[in-house]
Amino acid sequence: MPTLLRLLVQEEEFTPFSINTGLIFWTLVVFGILLALLWRLGWPAILKAVEDRERRIQQQLEEAERARAESARLLEEHRSMIATAKAESQEMITKARGVAEKERQTLLAQAREQYEDLLARAKKEIDTQKQQAILELRREAVDLSIAAASKLVEANLDSDANRKLVMEYLASLEQRR
Amino acid sequence: MIQAPDIGKVIFEHTSDSHVVELPFGLGEWHLPTGWHLFGVDVSPTKHVVFMVVAAVLVFLTVWYAGRQVERRHREGKAPHGFGGAVEAVVLFVRNDVAIANIGHGGEKFAPYILTLFFFILYCNLLGLLPWGATPTGNLAVTGALALTAFVTIEVSGFRALGPKGYLKTIVFVPPGMTGLGAVAMALIMTPIEIIGKIVKPFALTLRLFANMTAGHFVILALLGLIFIFANWAVAVGSVAFVTFMMLLELLVAFLQAYIFALLTSVFIGMMQHAH
């Protein structure tokens, strides 16, 4: 201990344990100047850049979060839109199918009606034609009969009287049928 | 056996301050002027003053150059890179994980001081590892002065944060709930303890840095001294191997002690800010 004290107290001779008052002064001066210079010229440059970057990264993170939420919202919206569209199209198809079915039914009915109409008309036509043909045939038959009879008898028989006879006969035929 | 040199004297001469700066590459010695006085105190420059100035200049150049680089790359919207990026990483570590983490809210205000402390001590430590170098931080006056700045910062920041009444409580401490005679007795007992507590902090900072830097150099020089005492090749090989290892350890210690000084100063400032 006395050695250490001697070392500490020694003024002129330098030892590792001596405290030089002048050096305290120098340390304060050098450190003070360095601190003042760096405070003004050194640290602000680095720290400002760092803080700026921190702020920017924070901002970008927030923006990314916002964009993510926005895109999720849009996706949800699109999904619901697609679902609505699907339902709508389904409904439209169903409706169209119904309309087409009804149309088909009406068309069919119409066609049937027309066909029946045509058929009836044709039947009526055929009937009339048949009646006419029968009448004509009858007249022809009378003429033929008269011609045949006149050829056969070759007499001066009154042709009106003969016609009457034949007509009566034919009428009796008609009645018999 | 040849006459062994006085290794102890060599070690002391090497680690202590002097008015002579040894110059590298055979340039001889630089005898500093003596007899400067200021208010009756001898303020002649010494070897440690010279190396402190060198360290301060290097710190300033480092930070200034890195700052310019970082600022330029930031302006151009590029990511940090190279030398600026490296310094920025250290600055960020000291600012966020040393200063702000330990001082707490408002730690940014102290960041420039803690950063300067860290870089200055680190450069002083590293200069001591260079051949022909000297370690200003291996001098009690230097570490004491640095601890003095820490002491003033701690107390002034505490006074400003707590106000006169709150600050007084950190000196005259009365446990809550105590009144009358008990309070007076406690105050009488606790006040010296509180004052000692305030002084012990910078004192510990002073001694820790000084002892760590000096001890490492002692070990290295003692190991190298063995070569001259034994004058033996085998000892020389072993010695050099150990010295290489010690040098690497010293490199670690240089960073570690700068970190610890900055860290403890931050912790003390934080303790004061949130006292009681």
Side-chain angles (χ1 to χ4, degrees):
Chain A
M1 225 28 208
T3 335
L4 192 65
L5 271 180
R6 190 173 53 79
L7 289 171
L8 282 172
V9 172
Q10 244 172 5
E11 271 294 319
E12 280 309 302
E13 198 73 17
F14 286 117
T15 80
F17 303 101
S18 57
I19 299 170
N20 179 355
T21 332
L23 199 53
I24 295 177
F25 161 77
W26 278 107
T27 308
L28 292 177
V29 167
V30 172
F31 185 75
I33 290 171
L34 179 66
L35 184 62
L37 279 176
L38 288 181
W39 201 300
R40 285 191 61 100
L41 302 171
W43 305 124
I46 295 181
L47 292 180
K48 205 178 141 289
V50 164
E51 275 159 14
D52 261 17
R53 196 179 314 130
E54 257 171 31
R55 240 195 322 277
R56 203 164 57 191
I57 291 172
Q58 191 58 39
Q59 231 169 34
Q60 278 167 352
L61 281 176
E62 276 161 16
E63 228 158 74
E65 182 53 39
R66 253 205 310 279
R68 205 192 59 76
E70 173 78 10
S71 68
R73 198 180 59 74
L74 280 175
L75 184 68
E76 198 48 50
E77 209 166 82
H78 282 169
R79 258 194 205 135
S80 70
M81 264 164 76
I82 287 170
T84 324
K86 218 178 239 172
E88 244 166 48
S89 68
Q90 202 62 44
E91 197 186 334
M92 268 162 80
I93 288 170
T94 323
K95 213 186 268 175
R97 213 171 259 161
V99 167
E101 184 63 27
K102 211 184 277 173
E103 197 72 7
R104 199 170 72 92
Q105 292 297 343
T106 14
L107 276 175
L108 267 176
Q110 251 174 20
R112 191 167 289 139
E113 205 173 295
Q114 268 176 1
Y115 151 78
E116 259 157 22
D117 199 29
L118 268 173
L119 197 67
R121 240 191 307 176
K123 264 187 187 151
K124 215 161 115 191
E125 188 79 5
I126 288 165
D127 253 12
T128 342
Q129 291 290 331
K130 205 171 89 185
Q131 288 301 327
Q132 227 167 351
I134 287 168
L135 272 176
E136 212 129 305
L137 198 66
R138 218 171 260 172
R139 201 172 297 139
E140 198 72 19
V142 168
D143 284 350
L144 277 174
S145 309
I146 290 167
S150 60
K151 272 262 184 339
L152 279 173
V153 179
E154 228 174 66
N156 52 354
L157 273 172
D158 189 16
S159 94
D160 277 338
N162 290 342
R163 186 177 298 259
K164 199 180 168 201
L165 272 174
V166 172
M167 282 306 265
E168 274 165 11
Y169 166 67
L170 283 176
S172 76
L173 276 179
E174 190 87 352
Q175 262 164 4
R176 245 186 303 170
R177 218 174 54 179
Chain B
M1 195 177 167
I2 53 165
Q3 175 68 44
D6 187 354
I7 299 299
K9 191 164 163 278
V10 171
I11 291 175
F12 266 35
E13 270 177 8
H14 186 87
T15 48
S16 60
D17 207 353
S18 98
H19 284 299
V20 179
V21 179
E22 297 162 31
L23 297 173
F25 313 121
L27 288 174
E29 293 175 337
W30 176 21
H31 290 269
L32 297 165
T34 51
W36 293 14
H37 285 273
L38 192 74
F39 308 120
V41 178
D42 181 14
V43 292
S44 322
T46 61
K47 186 163 75 170
H48 285 164
V49 173
V50 172
F51 275 90
M52 243 173 359
V53 172
V54 171
V57 169
L58 287 177
V59 169
F60 180 74
L61 288 179
T62 304
V63 174
W64 181 70
Y65 179 65
R68 262 179 40 142
Q69 220 184 24
V70 167
E71 209 173 28
R72 199 184 63 232
R73 288 190 72 83
H74 179 68
R75 224 185 6 255
E76 289 167 2
K78 289 181 188 157
H81 174 79
F83 184 72
V87 174
E88 191 199 299
V90 178
V91 168
L92 268 187
F93 170 72
V94 175
R95 174 180 175 262
N96 293 339
D97 294 336
V98 176
I100 294 175
N102 289 298
I103 297 171
H105 191 65
E108 314 86 65
K109 273 187 309 192
F110 296 96
Y113 169 66
I114 301 292
L115 279 165
T116 311
L117 208 54
F118 174 81
F119 275 93
F120 183 62
I121 293 172
L122 177 66
Y123 275 52
C124 284
N125 293 352
L126 290 174
L127 280 179
L129 296 180
L130 294 176
W132 291 286
T135 325
T137 42
N139 189 312
L140 274 172
V142 175
T143 59
L146 291 175
L148 189 66
T149 67
F151 177 73
V152 170
T153 310
I154 293 164
E155 298 306 320
V156 170
S157 76
F159 187 81
R160 286 176 67 172
L162 301 170
K165 218 175 150 188
Y167 181 72
L168 201 65
K169 274 188 191 161
T170 68
I171 299 173
V172 184
F173 179 68
V174 177
M178 268 193 137
T179 47
L181 208 61
V184 173
M186 276 310 283
L188 280 176
I189 298 166
M190 289 306 287
T191 303
I193 296 176
E194 291 285 339
I195 290 171
I196 290 169
K198 278 184 191 297
I199 294 166
V200 155
K201 288 170 192 166
F203 196 70
L205 287 175
T206 306
L207 281 186
R208 183 181 300 105
L209 183 56
F210 158 74
N212 270 287
M213 295 327 294
T214 308
H217 286 258
F218 275 14
V219 172
I220 288 171
L221 291 168
L223 282 167
L224 285 175
L226 288 177
I227 302 171
F228 297 98
I229 289 170
F230 287 96
N232 181 323
W233 280 106
V235 172
V237 169
S239 226
V240 168
F242 269 114
V243 167
T244 311
F245 169 72
M246 278 307 296
M247 274 290 186
L248 293 174
L249 194 66
E250 279 296 284
L251 199 60
L252 171 71
V253 169
F255 279 89
L256 196 66
Q257 288 306 319
Y259 167 68
I260 288 175
F261 201 105
L263 179 77
L264 286 178
T265 306
S266 307
V267 169
F268 294 152
I269 293 172
M271 274 166 70
M272 239 353 230
Q273 300 258 302
H274 311 109
H276 306 307

